[in-house]
Amino acid sequence: MSGDRRGFPLRLLFAAVVALPGTWLGAADYLGAPHPELPAAVAAAVFGLAIVGAAFVLSWAAEAAQVDISAGLAIAVLALVAVLPEYAVDLVFTFQAGQEYAQQGTCAPPPGEADPCSLALANMTGANRVLVGFGWPLVVLVGALAVRRADRESRSTRQGRVALAPVMSAEVVFLGAATLYSLTLPLRTSLTLVDAAVFLAIFAGYAWRLSKAPVEQPQLLGVSAWVGGKARRPRRWWVAGMFAFAGLVILATAEHFAHDLVATGTHLGVDEFLLVQWVAPLASESPELIVACLYATRLMASHSLGTLLSSKVNQWTLLVGTIPVVFAISSGSTHGLPLDGHQRLELLITAAQSLFAVSILADLGLTTAGAVTLFALFATQFTASIVLPDNANRLVIVVLSAVYIVLAIGQLVRRRHIGARTARDGVVTPFRELAERS
C-alpha cells in the first residue's frame, strides 16, 4: 500500500460538493419539503452531476476497502452500491405493477397508458443489455486509449485485450449459473417466487464464495491512499461513511434522474417504452460505467471489467430475484409477475446475450474482437427497436437470440478445456492458489 498522510484531499471535498445539490433536491422531493421546480432537462443535469460525484466517492471507497477485505469482495460491494439506481428505478415500476394487478387482477393498463408489468421488465432487461453490450466494450476502448496515452501496458490492460485476474473466475461461474437458469424464463407465463428463490440462492453462493478470498495489500493513490493510510478504526469509518454517502446520493437522485430523462424524451415525442428500456437504464447504469472508466484510465482494467461483471451478476441474480418478491408484496398475492409474448422475447435475448458474454470470458479475457461483436449485436437490436415496427423488431430479437446462442455454443466448445478450468477455479480452487497464478 502506498500511504498518503497529507491533509484532507480536495478532490473528495469537490466530489461531495458536486453531489449535494442533486441530493438535496431528490431528498426534498421524497420528504415533501419545498424545493424549486426545475425543467426536466435541467433537473436531469443536476441529478446526473450528483451521480458522477457519488461514482468518484464509490471508486475511492472500494480501493481503500481493499486494505481490510479482498479486492473481489470490495468490487462486489462497489458494484452492489453502484447498481442501486437500477434497483430503485426497476423496483418502483415493479411495485406499481403489483398495485395495478391488485386493483384490476391484470396488468392491462387503461387505453393510452403503458403496461406497468411490461415497463418493469423493459427496464431490467434493457439495463442488463446496456451493461454488457455497451459497458463491456467501453472498458476495452478506454483501456486501449489509456495504454496508448501512457505508452505502456499493465498486467490487465493491453492493446486489444482486457484480462481478468484468476480470482474473478467466481464472477464468471456464478453469472453462468444464473444465465443457464434464465434461459428457462422465456418458456414461462410469469416470473414467480420459485424463480426468486433460485436467483437469490445463486447470489448467496456468489457472496459466500467471495467472502473466502484473502486480503492483499493494494497499491493506492490519491484519495484512496489518504483513507487507506489511516489507522484501522478511522479507516473503516471513512470507508463505511463513503460507501454510505454514495449510496444515499444514488438513492436520492437515481429515480429522479431516470424519470427526468424519460420526461425530456417524452417531451421530444419519444415512445415511453423505448425510454424506459434504453434511456432510463443508461442513466441508472451511469455510476458503475463511470467507475469502470476511472479504473480503465489508470490501466486497472481488471478492476474495471470486474466491476461491470460483478454488476451484471448482481442484476442477473439479486435484482431479478427481488422483482417477484416486490410484486408479491405490492399485489398482496403469491402470483408471479405476468409475462406476455413480448416480455418473454425480451428475456430471451437478454439471456442469450448473457450466455454469449459468459462464453467470451471463459478464458478470463475480453478481446477487441469480442468487444466489437458484443457492441455490434447490441447496436443492431437497439437500432431495430427504434426504427422498425413491433412485429419486425420481434423477428430481429428471435434472429439475434439465435445468433448469440450459436456463437456462445461455438465459443464454449472451442474453449471447453480452459472453460472447465475456469469453472473449477470459480467454485473450488483456493483463492490463494488463484492469487499466486496471477
Side-chain angles (χ1 to χ4, degrees):
M1 180 182 67
S2 174
D4 186 351
R5 299 182 179 277
R6 294 174 298 176
F8 187 86
L10 293 180
R11 282 180 292 176
L12 179 57
L13 178 63
F14 181 73
V17 169
V18 165
L20 288 179
T23 306
W24 174 72
L25 280 177
D29 188 71
Y30 280 127
L31 298 174
H35 61 87
E37 294 293 337
L38 301 177
V42 175
V46 173
F47 292 130
L49 282 174
I51 289 175
V52 171
F56 274 92
V57 175
L58 267 182
S59 67
W60 293 325
E63 290 182 15
Q66 294 174 40
V67 177
D68 297 298
I69 62 177
S70 70
L73 188 57
I75 288 174
V77 173
L78 183 156
L80 184 59
V81 177
V83 85
L84 284 177
E86 186 53 41
Y87 282 74
V89 173
D90 204 54
L91 296 184
V92 165
F93 285 128
T94 303
F95 193 83
Q96 293 172 350
Q99 290 182 319
E100 180 75 24
Y101 186 86
Q103 294 173 2
Q104 308 292 336
T106 177
C107 271
E113 295 185 13
D115 179 355
C117 293
S118 179
L119 293 181
L121 283 179
N123 190 256
M124 183 271 290
T125 55
N128 272 274
R129 299 211 294 277
V130 166
L131 191 64
V132 174
F134 177 76
W136 291 17
L138 180 64
V139 165
V140 176
L141 173 62
V142 174
L145 293 176
V147 167
R148 179 171 296 182
R149 185 187 63 185
D151 196 26
R152 66 181 180 87
E153 296 181 340
S154 70
R155 185 167 56 188
S156 67
T157 313
R158 299 168 187 159
Q159 197 70 264
R161 189 175 192 271
V162 169
L164 287 171
V167 294
M168 291 182 181
S169 55
E171 278 84 351
V172 178
V173 171
F174 283 95
L175 176 58
T179 297
L180 289 176
Y181 184 79
S182 70
L183 288 170
T184 68
L185 298 182
L187 306 176
R188 318 286 185 78
T189 57
S190 63
L191 191 62
T192 68
L193 292 175
V194 174
D195 300 318
V198 173
F199 282 117
L200 294 177
I202 293 173
F203 178 79
Y206 165 64
W208 177 84
R209 173 62 172 161
L210 289 187
S211 70
K212 301 300 180 182
V215 177
E216 299 178 358
Q217 287 299 315
Q219 294 296 319
L220 304 180
L221 297 170
V223 176
S224 58
W226 182 82
V227 176
K230 293 183 175 297
R232 175 184 292 185
R233 187 166 183 175
R235 178 179 66 241
R236 290 181 174 179
W237 276 109
W238 270 100
V239 169
M242 290 166 70
F243 271 125
F245 173 80
L248 289 173
V249 171
I250 289 169
L251 283 175
T253 59
E255 182 185 347
H256 297 295
F257 184 36
H259 284 176
D260 283 318
L261 278 179
V262 170
T264 303
T266 302
H267 180 71
L268 297 175
V270 183
D271 180 72
E272 183 179 4
F273 183 88
L274 293 178
L275 289 168
V276 170
Q277 184 171 47
W278 299 124
V279 178
L282 189 58
S284 59
E285 297 291 350
S286 57
E288 61 260 45
L289 291 177
I290 294 169
V291 170
C293 289
L294 290 175
Y295 278 134
T297 57
R298 293 166 54 187
L299 300 182
M300 298 170 64
S302 180
H303 283 48
S304 180
L305 184 57
T307 298
L308 297 187
L309 176 58
S310 189
S311 293
K312 172 65 176 176
V313 176
N314 273 289
Q315 291 189 27
W316 211 219
T317 55
L318 189 59
L319 176 57
V320 179
T322 305
I323 286 175
V325 177
V326 172
F327 182 84
I329 293 172
S330 178
S331 65
S333 71
T334 57
H335 195 284
L337 180 74
L339 303 175
D340 61 21
H342 187 197
Q343 293 164 332
R344 291 198 291 271
L345 285 177
E346 294 290 340
L347 286 169
L348 172 63
I349 192 170
T350 308
Q353 183 205 48
S354 183
L355 183 66
F356 179 52
V358 170
S359 72
I360 287 177
L361 295 183
D363 65 348
L364 299 182
L366 179 59
T367 63
T368 299
V372 168
T373 304
L374 279 174
F375 180 75
L377 293 173
F378 166 76
T380 299
Q381 202 273 309
F382 174 81
T383 304
S385 68
I386 295 175
V387 303
L388 295 180
D390 192 49
N391 288 338
N393 180 47
R394 294 187 184 194
L395 178 61
V396 171
I397 289 176
V398 172
V399 172
L400 288 179
S401 298
V403 171
Y404 276 127
I405 292 173
V406 169
L407 290 175
I409 292 173
Q411 289 273 54
L412 291 172
V413 170
R414 185 168 64 88
R415 300 177 173 181
R416 59 187 179 277
H417 298 301
I418 194 169
R421 187 183 71 179
T422 299
R424 182 174 63 253
D425 289 346
V427 178
V428 299
T429 303
F431 275 105
R432 292 194 181 278
E433 181 181 327
L434 296 177
E436 291 172 359
R437 195 185 300 168
S438 298

